[in-house]
């Protein structure tokens, strides 16, 4: 559950940070495709998180092998780390632009 | 990144295969003294595990799996024990063709192989993490 909400939050953060960027930077096509890329990465992350959770639940119900649970959960963990790091980086870049003296 | 995650999945298949091997070895060890109930029947027969590689199309790589669990066709060991219910007219009992020393060696090999796969998973995971770390700082 926690993984889900964190990924969802990171997804929201990404789209919010990507939205103003388009307007600020006069909506270049490169920006748009970057936002798309980030959005699809976030979707993949959510899917991986769901898979990890589903396998964990099956593992608790003794329907899945422990090895499957471990691989699914560590995959979800790695994807979450990647998404969170990229999001932090994007937000940091955005904040740097905001703080820039005009 | 994707390759490293694939690597950990391949190693996971190795973990499963070795776990099944461990199960069969412990079956052999536990049944090392299981004789027949009456004369003329066979005692426990030692089981063997063979492995096979299997193409995982989703991964695009060859994973390992247990091909089949076969039976060891070697002779049973004869032991002189006239009081045993399964003893023949000369007083000999057929005992399983399990040699605990060989089973222990197999056990150790399975353990080493399992550990090797675990290390491969750990390494691929830490490599992904270290790559992500590059973005921080």
């Amino acid at each position: 559950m926690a993984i889900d909400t964190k990924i969802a939050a990171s997804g929201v953060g990404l789209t919010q940070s990507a939205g103003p960027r388009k307007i600020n930077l006069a909506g270049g096509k490169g920006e748009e495709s970057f936002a798309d890329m980030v959005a699809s990465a976030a979707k993949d992350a959510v899917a991986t998180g769901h898979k990890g959770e589903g396998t964990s639940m099956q593992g608790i119900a003794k329907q899945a092998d422990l090895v499957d649970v471990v691989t699914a959960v560590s995959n979800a963990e790695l994807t979450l780390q990647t998404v969170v790091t990229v999001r932090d980086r994007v937000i940091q870049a955005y904040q740097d632009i905001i703080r820039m003296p005009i | 990144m994707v390759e490293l995650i694939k690597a950990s999945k391949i190693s996971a298949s190795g973990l499963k295969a070795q776990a099944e091997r461990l199960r069969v070895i412990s079956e052999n060890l536990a049944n090392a003294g299981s004789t027949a109930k009456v004369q003329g029947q066979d005692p426990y027969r030692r089981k063997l595990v063979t492995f096979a590689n299997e193409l995982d199309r989703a991964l695009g790589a060859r994973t390992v799996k247990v091909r089949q669990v076969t039976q060891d066709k070697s002779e049973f060991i004869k032991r002189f024990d006239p009081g045993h219910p399964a003893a023949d007219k000369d007083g000999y009992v057929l005992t399983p063709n399990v040699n605990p020393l060989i089973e222990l060696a197999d056990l150790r090999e399975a353990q080493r192989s399992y550990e090797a796969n675990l290390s491969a998973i750990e390494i691929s995971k830490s490599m992904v993490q270290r790559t992500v770390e590059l973005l921080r700082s």
Side-chain angles (χ1 to χ4, degrees):
Chain A
M1 308 293 170
I3 294 173
D4 239 349
T5 45
K6 269 185 197 165
I7 292 175
S10 71
V12 169
L14 289 169
T15 42
Q16 277 176 350
S17 66
R21 275 169 74 95
K22 268 196 282 187
I23 301 162
N24 283 351
L25 300 169
K29 276 191 180 155
E31 296 297 317
E32 214 175 290
S33 70
F34 177 74
D36 288 347
M37 184 268 282
V38 167
S40 75
K43 268 182 203 158
D44 284 353
V46 171
T48 318
H50 274 306
K51 201 178 162 194
E53 262 182 39
T55 320
S56 311
M57 287 302 165
Q58 284 176 357
I60 292 165
K62 296 269 168 77
Q63 285 167 351
D65 199 47
L66 179 68
V67 174
D68 290 331
V69 176
V70 171
T71 24
V73 169
S74 68
N75 262 351
E77 190 190 340
L78 288 176
T79 319
L80 179 66
Q81 279 178 5
T82 316
V83 168
V84 166
T85 316
V86 171
R87 178 205 62 179
D88 289 351
R89 196 74 183 185
V90 168
I91 289 174
Q92 195 197 338
Y94 181 58
Q95 282 174 338
D96 285 348
I97 293 170
I98 288 278
R99 286 204 207 97
M100 203 194 314
I102 306 169
Chain B
M1 287 295 257
V2 181
E3 294 301 312
L4 289 171
I5 288 169
K6 273 184 192 173
S8 67
K9 282 183 180 164
I10 296 166
S11 302
S13 78
L15 289 185
K16 278 189 205 166
Q18 296 302 325
E20 197 161 343
R21 184 184 184 189
L22 268 174
R23 179 184 64 77
V24 172
I25 294 170
S26 41
E27 212 173 314
N28 287 340
L29 265 178
N31 281 301
S34 303
T35 52
K37 199 173 168 191
V38 289
Q39 191 209 330
Q41 285 179 354
D42 279 350
Y44 174 79
R45 199 175 267 284
R46 180 178 177 237
K47 286 181 181 171
L48 287 168
V49 179
T50 49
F51 296 109
N53 64 61
E54 185 185 39
L55 180 67
D56 190 329
R57 292 192 183 279
L59 280 181
R62 289 193 167 269
T63 56
V64 65
K65 66 162 190 174
V66 171
R67 180 184 282 129
Q68 58 179 352
V69 178
T70 53
Q71 292 197 320
D72 186 347
K73 300 271 168 43
S74 64
E75 291 281 302
F76 292 120
I77 301 158
K78 269 190 176 180
R79 196 185 68 212
F80 186 67
D81 189 357
H84 198 280
D88 60 8
K89 58 184 190 306
D90 299 325
Y92 283 98
V93 184
L94 289 177
T95 59
N97 51 353
V98 175
N99 184 348
L101 268 178
I102 294 174
E103 298 306 319
L104 281 176
D106 276 355
L107 197 69
R108 198 59 81 176
E109 199 186 325
Q111 184 193 6
R112 294 281 176 263
S113 185
Y114 199 97
E115 280 170 0
N117 283 305
L118 275 182
S119 311
I121 292 178
E122 268 175 13
I123 289 173
S124 50
K125 193 177 168 185
S126 79
M127 279 163 81
V128 174
Q129 276 173 335
R130 285 194 56 196
T131 313
V132 171
E133 286 278 316
L134 281 181
L135 272 180
R136 293 184 192 158
S137 80

